[in-house]
Amino acid sequence: MEELPVPQNIKISNITCDSFKICWDMDSRSKERITHYFIDLNKKENKNANKFKHKDVPTKLVAKAVPLPMTVRGHWFLSPRTEYTVAVQTASKQGDGDYAVSEWSEIIEFCTADYSTVHLTQLLEKAEVIAGRMLRFSVFYRNQHKEYFDHAREAQNNKMLPSVKDNSGSHGSPISGKLEGIFFSCNTEFNTGKPPQDSPYGRYRFQLPAEELFSPKTNLYFGDFYCMYTAYHYVILVIAPKGSPGDEFCKQRLPALDIGNNRFLTCSEDEDGRLVFHHAQDLILEVIYTDPVDLSLGTVAEISGHQLMSLSTVNAKKDPSCKTCNISVGR
């Protein structure tokens, strides 16, 4: 019996965070005998592992022979922003239920994509459920070490400059490692209405009026929703001056929020035309501002509380088992 054709020139296309299309070329001889395709999908770090044998170990993915390109979607093994290797066999199901198989194809590498706005909207809707009531606030603040502010004054023309966001939060977040901005907080203590005196990020706090960062001249975007194996949940929001590079970046990747009507952070006018600001009570908001900020817009002072390093979210990994803040990607 003639050997089954080995897939050649494998091409991966239409890659999302949880799906991809795959196609290849095949010799036309014995093509009509093909009943199935076996796809060996591995995370890239495992690419040197011994190739399993079909008769000994079930294949990771068995598909009926369909016209190419074939879509692989919602497979349990696929995660966002992850590098994979893939190889393919052609197979022919025999009368006894066993398979005749071709040789494995060459191994191809590819990387899955970030969350799309569809996935981020699902996260947004889950965050809205636990946001709680809105509390009034009047300042944004940023805690850092004294050396950070000294450097801003001496080497950066009195400005805090945007830097690339770390990899904290959801693994598929399109802003991690890509968006440049400056982190601010706005949460207040329930009993005082003022910022807390403790911080994970340093004993010195820059504080400025909320209208200096957030106004009708800015756009607001939802960035992420996560927790770190604790009861606290975090929402990342992005404030970008309209038309700025940060605004253009977010416009293509993140769900936009109405600044006057959303469940997380609002800016509206009172009867006298003054801007009024509110934040969600039951979430810890991490606000990224995408432009440089001049220290002359606010004040820097030492806080009286403790530096709670255990609450830092720098490069924090999201709890993948939390039902409150995870979505079932691909299913």
Side-chain angles (χ1 to χ4, degrees):
M1 188 177 293
E2 198 167 2
E3 289 186 357
L4 293 168
V6 179
Q8 307 285 343
N9 302 319
I10 295 175
K11 292 183 177 62
I12 305 290
S13 63
N14 296 75
I15 300 171
T16 73
C17 68
D18 64 342
S19 69
F20 61 92
K21 285 188 175 181
I22 184 169
C23 66
W24 56 83
D25 299 330
M26 284 185 293
D27 191 314
S28 57
R29 291 174 298 172
S30 299
K31 197 172 178 181
E32 68 282 347
R33 289 177 48 220
I34 298 171
T35 60
H36 291 78
Y37 303 133
F38 295 162
I39 298 177
D40 181 20
L41 188 63
N42 289 286
K43 287 187 177 177
K44 189 175 176 181
E45 60 264 29
N46 298 327
K47 68 178 181 178
N48 293 324
N50 290 330
K51 185 70 65 181
F52 61 79
K53 295 177 182 178
H54 168 63
K55 288 186 179 179
D56 299 335
V57 181
T59 56
K60 288 187 174 71
L61 189 59
V62 179
K64 287 186 176 179
V66 295
L68 299 176
M70 180 177 74
T71 299
V72 178
R73 182 187 307 281
H75 192 255
W76 66 271
F77 201 62
L78 285 173
S79 299
R81 200 186 274 204
T82 304
E83 292 184 323
Y84 291 94
T85 62
V86 63
V88 187
Q89 279 180 318
T90 57
S92 176
K93 192 168 187 178
Q94 309 298 295
D96 58 5
D98 205 351
Y99 290 90
V101 295
S102 71
E103 295 294 317
W104 283 104
S105 70
E106 62 178 329
I107 296 173
I108 297 295
E109 298 179 359
F110 71 100
C111 184
T112 47
D114 298 332
Y115 283 156
S116 69
T117 52
V118 172
H119 299 104
L120 288 172
T121 299
Q122 292 175 20
L123 276 179
L124 184 161
E125 290 169 351
K126 289 179 80 75
E128 286 177 331
V129 172
I130 67 161
R133 68 190 185 98
M134 302 293 281
L135 299 179
R136 190 161 175 170
F137 76 101
S138 60
V139 298
F140 286 103
Y141 55 95
R142 173 174 173 80
N143 276 70
Q144 270 288 352
H145 302 286
K146 183 175 182 294
E147 294 75 16
Y148 171 87
F149 295 112
D150 290 342
H151 182 73
R153 292 188 191 97
E154 297 161 9
Q156 297 173 176
N157 198 26
N158 208 47
K159 288 183 173 66
M160 296 186 294
L161 301 180
S163 58
V164 176
K165 184 194 170 298
D166 65 10
N167 288 314
S168 61
S170 300
H171 187 60
S173 171
I175 60 177
S176 293
K178 295 180 180 179
L179 177 67
E180 293 189 358
I182 306 169
F183 265 106
F184 284 90
S185 299
C186 65
N187 287 83
T188 55
E189 290 184 320
F190 177 76
N191 55 341
T192 67
K194 296 179 180 179
Q197 278 301 310
D198 300 324
S199 170
Y201 302 111
R203 294 198 54 79
Y204 285 80
R205 174 173 293 167
F206 172 71
Q207 185 170 297
L208 78 170
E211 58 265 27
E212 295 292 351
L213 300 186
F214 191 30
S215 74
K217 295 179 182 177
T218 58
N219 283 324
L220 180 67
Y221 298 91
F222 175 86
D224 200 2
F225 177 42
Y226 71 101
C227 71
M228 305 180 298
Y229 302 90
T230 67
Y232 302 111
H233 276 86
Y234 298 79
V235 161
I236 298 177
L237 302 173
V238 183
I239 297 176
K242 290 181 178 178
S244 66
D247 190 33
E248 293 305 312
F249 177 95
C250 294
K251 202 174 286 184
Q252 299 171 34
R253 297 169 176 84
L254 304 179
L257 299 173
D258 181 343
I259 69 166
N261 183 25
N262 67 80
R263 296 296 309 279
F264 311 116
L265 187 72
T266 61
C267 168
S268 55
E269 286 190 5
D270 64 13
E271 303 82 23
D272 300 323
R274 290 175 299 195
L275 295 179
V276 179
F277 304 91
H278 292 83
H279 71 80
Q281 173 185 333
D282 295 339
L283 294 165
I284 298 176
L285 299 183
E286 298 183 309
V287 179
I288 301 176
Y289 187 74
T290 61
D291 271 15
V293 175
D294 199 303
L295 291 176
S296 65
L297 296 174
T299 57
V300 177
E302 190 171 2
I303 59 173
S304 60
H306 301 286
Q307 187 174 340
L308 306 173
M309 296 300 291
S310 63
L311 296 181
S312 171
T313 61
V314 174
N315 286 313
K317 300 305 178 192
K318 179 173 181 174
D319 178 1
S321 65
C322 177
K323 292 187 171 127
T324 301
C325 62
N326 280 283
I327 56 175
S328 298
V329 174
R331 290 167 175 78

